Amino acid sequence: AFSIDVVTHRKIPRVGPPLQDKKPSLVILATHSPYGTEFTKGAITLAVACAHQGIATRVVFIEEGVYTLSGQDSPAGMLPGCDLQSIIETTSRMDNLEYFVYTPSSQERGIAGNALMKGVCPIHPNKLGQVLLLPPPGVDVDQQRILAF
């Protein structure tokens, strides 16, 4: 986990509440395959909880985490609506929450773009850098926190 100071160059004075009252944005990197451990479920649960509390939150499925979006790893006997894909689909419409999948990771694992879920935006290396280093558009904060699960 780490925190990045966001450098902003303002030419006009800022009007509004002090920045220390603003909540830093959050990026969660989901790096583990689903269902083998609780890492991915924990990442999604934390993201939903933070978004519900008004924190701008983005989840990036990267490396083994891209298997979460393929829908092929659901365990037998899972109650309908309780699998990770259903949770992602339901929460992808929440305010303050965005889901991304790192395209090189999905391509390396043979997961085609059309096999991925709706509501999850594919991103390339340049966009990943922007997600990690810059807060979401319209969010005025001085810091962004990044957690890897």
Side-chain angles (χ1 to χ4, degrees):
F2 55 96
S3 178
I4 293 177
D5 289 331
V6 178
V7 179
T8 56
H9 301 288
R10 292 188 179 91
K11 294 183 180 182
I12 56 174
R14 188 180 171 291
V15 179
L19 288 176
Q20 60 267 25
D21 292 344
K22 294 196 172 197
K23 301 170 185 172
S25 56
L26 175 65
V27 175
I28 298 175
L29 302 173
T31 63
H32 286 81
S33 59
Y35 307 119
T37 63
E38 293 293 318
F39 284 109
T40 305
K41 183 177 183 181
I44 294 169
T45 302
L46 178 63
V48 170
C50 290
H52 184 68
Q53 292 299 316
I55 297 170
T57 306
R58 295 176 285 178
V59 178
V60 179
F61 295 96
I62 190 167
E63 300 302 325
E64 300 294 312
V66 298
Y67 289 121
T68 305
L69 306 175
S70 69
Q72 298 171 354
D73 288 335
S74 295
M78 176 76 59
L79 294 174
C82 293
D83 60 293
L84 294 178
Q85 294 81 21
S86 296
I87 294 169
I88 293 167
E89 186 177 328
T90 302
T91 59
S92 67
R93 296 180 288 275
M94 283 182 68
D95 290 338
N96 301 317
L97 182 59
E98 295 177 286
Y99 291 106
F100 298 96
V101 59
Y102 188 56
T103 304
S105 292
S106 61
Q107 289 173 344
E108 184 177 313
R109 285 155 183 84
I111 301 173
N114 58 356
L116 298 173
M117 299 178 54
K118 292 179 182 175
V120 179
C121 181
I123 58 173
H124 295 283
N126 290 343
K127 179 67 175 173
L128 177 63
Q130 291 175 1
V131 167
L132 293 176
L133 299 174
L134 300 173
V139 176
D140 186 23
V141 294
D142 282 342
Q143 285 191 339
Q144 176 162 266
R145 296 195 173 120
I146 302 170
L147 300 174
F149 275 79

